[in-house]
């Protein structure tokens, strides 16, 4: 059997509460063993000294824009960007053109991902037909086509009655409804967080209450239906409190937070740069502190990027005409390290859990673990690497990031999917002499 | 590029004694100007006003320079004022209106500006419905940008002409109490006035319905009031902002007649004011909604002085931004 040994690295696998320096053995695309005792004559040896070895990272919130907006991103380029960021599995949102609201559309995503052979791509199906918020999409058929959850993301499910039915109906498949929580009538024309900064700049605002109100509503709907609710890109202090309270009461609610919502505030909009325009918008320092607290105490389960590529000609525009969103896959690790590890809010196992075992558990993915027999999806992180974020070098088709020029620490060194090295900065893979001689 | 010659000064010098060097290439907002810079524009405008009093109202200062009026939003008076100001300085002026341009064919406004720059534009006077649009342009072109109003953000030349008008009538701004009345939320004129007035030492009261006057302005150092009658006796200047009917349609206040009852400036209200109260209105005014005709045309009104000073301020700004290049700019 051809085997690979990843040696000398600090293996962190929260699914097994594992954190020690040892070897990881891979063969036939799966994890063979963890420990110094392994197999003779591995075909490949990766020297991971000084690196962190984790289950492949999972990003459960990305937009890959295919079909319909291939000028922004494709499934292939987005999945390639994922690998460069250390992410081996992504869940892509259904707000494509047309929307992923049928079995055939979900199968198309799966097929394109297979052809691309980059990161694993899981489709998330639409909650409603055409994402119009009127009638339920065929959720059962979507599950057959490969959908792992449902959302109308980009838009909230505004109707309380449709949301109630969706939570009830999705229970049959034990799937999560991911909700972009925002009362639409409170954010009409909004461009940034509603507050002192928007007032000062004369820019239409989106109040935090628009999110809070829908988070409160949907947690209550999850309670009465027994359905599973996942709050996407949580951005306000009050929303975090509501999720915390919901969990305390035993309601099936989970939440994700994005790196930009814990690093940037609405003051960034003073630059009038559309790379600071996202939905939900950048909020205030208080909100950042609350989200970090939520990540620390487990209120927020998952870190996700909301990777939202937009071609330059769309984004380099007047602030109110530019679309919402930023790319995030290739900056996920350094920004999360900067926001969470460096200030000591989370330790490495804590952060890795929110990028591996937690999302795998919530979305029912057989991923996010290095247990023997699991798919060998592995990420090697160089925690000391210092580099400058240069959007022109992104693998994503788009460059819309607010982090261009940031001097950061830590990056994905090597990304392995199914036992295959699909991304590496190089310099560590060796074939032992014995093999070379064969 | 040689510095253009300033027209001879006949008005009294009021600039601070040390030589002041203006080195801004753009005028994007009043928030980022220092107190000295604001005063310098006002002093320059005072000397420009002299040109308008001559029988031959023209100086060769900007001869050979090209000024484009790049208006992405309708405007008559501001554009005309900039147009005349540029002509009095002998610049070549060209209007570029979005409606008849390639913008309707889908060209981005940045590309439009770059095209005008390629035609040799020295100054682009930009009006746009989006806050920050001139700031964005300033990062993409080398020529000077003058903000002629960006969304609800700022309208710096309007703020400056209001300051000039107040200073002319009162001889100072420091220590005065100035009320801005009406829709503060959506007003670029209000924001430019607030920054300018605060920098020059005035007290600012923002007065209007609570749906149109956000409390957050208190953090900038303004006082908020919803009661016009209560503040009338304590103010030296009232600046009556234009009310857009669209705001009523969006439900921000119940009716124009209720608005007029609460915030309309009437002779009766003026009778409760200090003697010598100055009345300003950036216009265009809605007689019978923001103020009555007798007030608009009455002795307190400086509305026409504002228009006149607008010309001087715009001449000053055109002169200043084209006279110097910023330290970060290679002189080409």
């Amino acid at each position: 059997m051809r085997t690979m040994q990843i040696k000398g690295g600090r293996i962190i696998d929260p699914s097994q509460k594992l954190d020690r320096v040892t070897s990881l053995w891979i063969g036939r695309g799966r994890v063979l063993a963890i420990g110094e005792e392994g197999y003779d004559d591995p075909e490949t040896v990766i020297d991971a000294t000084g690196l962190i070895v984790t289950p492949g990272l999972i990003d459960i919130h990305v937009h890959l824009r295919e079909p319909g907006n291939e000028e922004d991103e494709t499934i292939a380029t987005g999945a390639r960007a994922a690998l460069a960021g250390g992410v081996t599995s992504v869940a892509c949102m259904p707000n494509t053109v047309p929307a992923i609201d049928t079995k055939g559309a979900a199968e198309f995503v799966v097929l394109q991902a297979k052809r691309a052979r980059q990161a694993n791509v899981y489709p998330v199906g639409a909650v409603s037909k055409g994402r119009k918020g009127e009638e339920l999409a065929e959720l059962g058929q979507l599950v057959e086509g490969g959908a792992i959850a449902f959302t109308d993301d980009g838009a909230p499910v505004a109707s309380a009655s449709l949301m109630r039915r969706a939570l009830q109906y999705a229970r049959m498949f034990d799937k999560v409804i991911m909700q972009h929580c925002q009362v639409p009538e409170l954010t009409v024309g909004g461009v940034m967080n509603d507050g002192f900064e928007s007032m000062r700049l004369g820019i239409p605002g989106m109040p935090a209450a628009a999110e809070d109100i829908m988070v409160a509503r949907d947690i209550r709907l999850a309670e009465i239906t027994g359905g599973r609710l996942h709050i996407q890109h949580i951005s306000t202090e009050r929303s975090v409190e509501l999720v915390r309270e919901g969990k305390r009461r035993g309601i099936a609610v989970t939440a994700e937070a994005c790196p930009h919502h814990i690093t940037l505030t609405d003051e960034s909009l003073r630059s009038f740069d559309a790379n600071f325009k996202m939905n939900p918008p950048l909020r205030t320092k208080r909100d950042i502190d609350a989200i970090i607290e939520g990540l620390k105490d487990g209120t927020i389960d998952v870190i996700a990027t909301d990777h939202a590529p937009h071609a330059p000609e769309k984004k380099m525009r007047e602030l109110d005409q530019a679309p919402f969103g930023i790319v995030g896959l290739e900056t996920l690790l350094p920004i999360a390290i900067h926001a969470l590890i460096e200030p000591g809010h989370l330790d490495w196992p804590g952060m890795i859990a929110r990028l591996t075992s937690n999302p795998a558990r919530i979305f029912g993915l057989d991923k996010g673990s290095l247990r023997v027999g699991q798919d060998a999806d592995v990420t090697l992180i160089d925690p000391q690497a210092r580099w400058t974020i240069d959007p022109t070098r992104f693998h994503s088709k788009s460059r819309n990031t607010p982090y261009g020029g940031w001097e950061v620490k830590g990056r994905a060194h090597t990304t392995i999917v199914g036992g295959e090295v699909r991304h590496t900065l190089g310099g560590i893979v060796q074939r032992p002499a014995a093999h070379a001689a064969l | 590029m040689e510095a253009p010659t300033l027209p001879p000064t006949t008005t009294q010098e009021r600039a601070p004694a040390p030589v002041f060097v203006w080195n801004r290439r753009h005028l994007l907002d009043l928030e980022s100007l220092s107190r000295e810079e604001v005063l310098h524009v006002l002093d320059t405008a005072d000397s420009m006003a002299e040109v308008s009093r001559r029988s031959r109202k023209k100086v060769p200062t900007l001869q050979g320079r090209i000024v484009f009026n790049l208006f992405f939003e309708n405007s008559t008076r501001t554009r005309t004022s900039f147009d005349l100001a540029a002509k009095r300085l002998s610049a070549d002026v060209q209007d570029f209106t979005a409606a008849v341009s390639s913008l309707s064919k889908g060209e981005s406004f940045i590309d439009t500006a770059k095209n005008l720059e390629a035609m040799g534009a020295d100054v682009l006077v930009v009006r746009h419905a989006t806050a920050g649009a001139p700031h964005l342009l300033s990062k993409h072109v080398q020529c000077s940008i003058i903000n002629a109003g960006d969304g609800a953000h700022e309208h710096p030349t309007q703020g400056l002409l209001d300051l000039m008008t107040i200073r002319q009538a009162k001889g100072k701004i420091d220590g005065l109490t100035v009320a801005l009345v009406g829709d503060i939320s959506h007003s670029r004129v209000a924001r430019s006035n607030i920054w300018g007035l605060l920098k020059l030492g005035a007290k600012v009261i923002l007065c209007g319905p609570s749906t149109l006057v956000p409390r957050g302005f208190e953090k900038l150092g303004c006082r908020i009031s919803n009661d016009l009658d209560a503040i009338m006796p304590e103010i030296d200047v009232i600046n009556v902002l234009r009310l857009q009917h669209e705001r009523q349609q969006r439900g921000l206040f119940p009716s124009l007649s209720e608005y007029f009852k609460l915030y309309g400036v009437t002779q009766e209200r003026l009778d409760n004011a200090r003697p010598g109260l100055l009345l300003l209105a950036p216009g265009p005014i809605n007689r019978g909604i923001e103020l009555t005709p007798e007030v608009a045309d009455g002795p307190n009104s400086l509305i026409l002085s504002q228009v006149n000073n607008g010309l001087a301020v715009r001449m000053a700004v055109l002169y200043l931004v084209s006279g110097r290049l910023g330290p970060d700019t290679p002189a080409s």
Side-chain angles (χ1 to χ4, degrees), chain A residues 291-313:
Chain A
I291 295 167
I292 289 174
E293 205 43 51
L295 280 163
K296 283 167 75 170
D297 71 9
T299 300
I300 301 170
D301 313 82
V302 170
I303 300 166
T305 64
D306 192 7
H307 178 80
H310 293 291
E313 67 272 18

Side-chain angles (χ1 to χ4, degrees), chain B residues 43-118:
Chain B
D43 292 344
T44 311
D46 283 345
S47 27
M48 292 295 178
E50 187 270 337
V51 174
S52 297
R53 289 194 289 271
R54 300 179 190 174
S55 58
R56 288 167 191 249
K57 299 178 174 58
K58 197 156 187 159
V59 289
T61 312
L62 295 187
Q63 207 162 47
R65 302 288 174 88
I66 301 175
V67 175
F68 272 100
N69 279 328
L70 182 50
F71 278 56
F72 298 97
E73 193 185 63
N74 287 336
S75 156
T76 312
R77 64 181 64 205
T78 302
R79 188 171 54 202
T80 307
S81 181
F82 268 108
D83 188 65
L84 264 180
K87 283 176 176 156
R88 287 193 179 175
L89 296 171
S90 302
D92 294 321
V93 198
Q94 187 68 43
D95 272 355
F96 190 94
T97 310
V100 295
S101 79
S102 47
L103 284 170
S104 48
K105 299 171 192 161
E107 184 175 70
S108 88
F109 88 124
I110 295 172
D111 286 331
T112 303
K114 284 183 169 172
N115 271 273
L116 300 185
E117 187 178 35

Side-chain angles (χ1 to χ4, degrees), chain A residues 188 196 198-203 270-273 313 316-321, chain B residues 31 109-110 128 130-132 135-136 139-140 152-153 191 214 216-217 219-220:
Chain A
V188 176
F196 178 70
S198 67
M199 180 216 75
R200 163 199 190 116
L201 297 171
I203 296 175
R270 290 182 193 175
S271 66
F272 298 105
D273 181 343
E313 67 272 18
M316 207 165 62
R317 296 214 53 167
E318 299 93 318
L319 206 49
D320 58 353
Q321 289 174 50
Chain B
E31 181 182 354
F109 88 124
I110 295 172
H128 201 294
T130 302
H135 301 69
L136 181 59
K139 290 171 193 156
H140 292 274
H153 179 225
R191 285 177 181 77
F217 278 107
K219 269 172 83 178
L220 297 181

Side-chain angles (χ1 to χ4, degrees), chain A residues 211-389:
Chain A
E211 177 171 316
D212 308 338
I213 291 167
M214 198 172 280
V215 169
R217 181 198 82 174
D218 288 350
I219 289 176
R220 187 79 180 96
L221 290 175
E223 183 173 24
I224 62 167
T225 57
R228 294 172 61 199
L229 171 69
H230 178 78
I231 309 292
Q232 299 183 294
H233 39 48
I234 198 165
S235 76
T236 72
E237 181 184 25
R238 184 72 190 120
S239 294
V240 176
E241 288 168 7
L242 287 162
V243 172
R244 185 176 290 128
E245 190 205 305
K247 284 190 162 175
R248 201 181 297 134
R249 290 172 49 203
I251 301 165
V253 56
T254 54
E256 76 194 25
C258 303
H260 49 270
H261 286 131
I262 50 175
T263 45
L264 303 167
T265 68
D266 56 358
E267 289 178 25
S268 313
L269 270 304
R270 290 182 193 175
S271 66
F272 298 105
D273 181 343
N275 283 327
F276 295 99
K277 178 182 174 183
M278 43 281 260
N279 186 8
L282 298 175
R283 306 275 187 193
T284 66
K285 181 70 170 54
R286 274 181 76 108
D287 298 299
I288 288 183
D289 292 344
I291 295 167
I292 289 174
E293 205 43 51
L295 280 163
K296 283 167 75 170
D297 71 9
T299 300
I300 301 170
D301 313 82
V302 170
I303 300 166
T305 64
D306 192 7
H307 178 80
H310 293 291
E313 67 272 18
K314 296 182 188 172
K315 198 65 171 170
M316 207 165 62
R317 296 214 53 167
E318 299 93 318
L319 206 49
D320 58 353
Q321 289 174 50
F324 290 105
I326 58 167
V327 291
L329 281 165
E330 290 169 85
T331 52
L332 163 65
L333 267 176
I335 301 302
I337 290 167
H338 164 80
L340 297 170
I341 302 269
E342 282 178 0
H345 297 311
L346 290 181
D347 56 13
W348 274 100
M351 190 172 93
I352 297 301
R354 284 151 184 77
L355 287 163
T356 57
S357 50
N358 288 3
R361 190 189 69 240
I362 295 166
F363 291 84
L365 302 177
D366 195 16
K367 294 282 182 187
S369 170
L370 295 176
R371 282 201 189 86
V372 172
Q374 285 280 322
D375 292 342
D377 293 357
V378 186
T379 301
L380 274 57
I381 301 166
D382 182 348
Q384 300 302 326
R386 291 189 178 276
W387 58 295
T388 304
I389 294 173

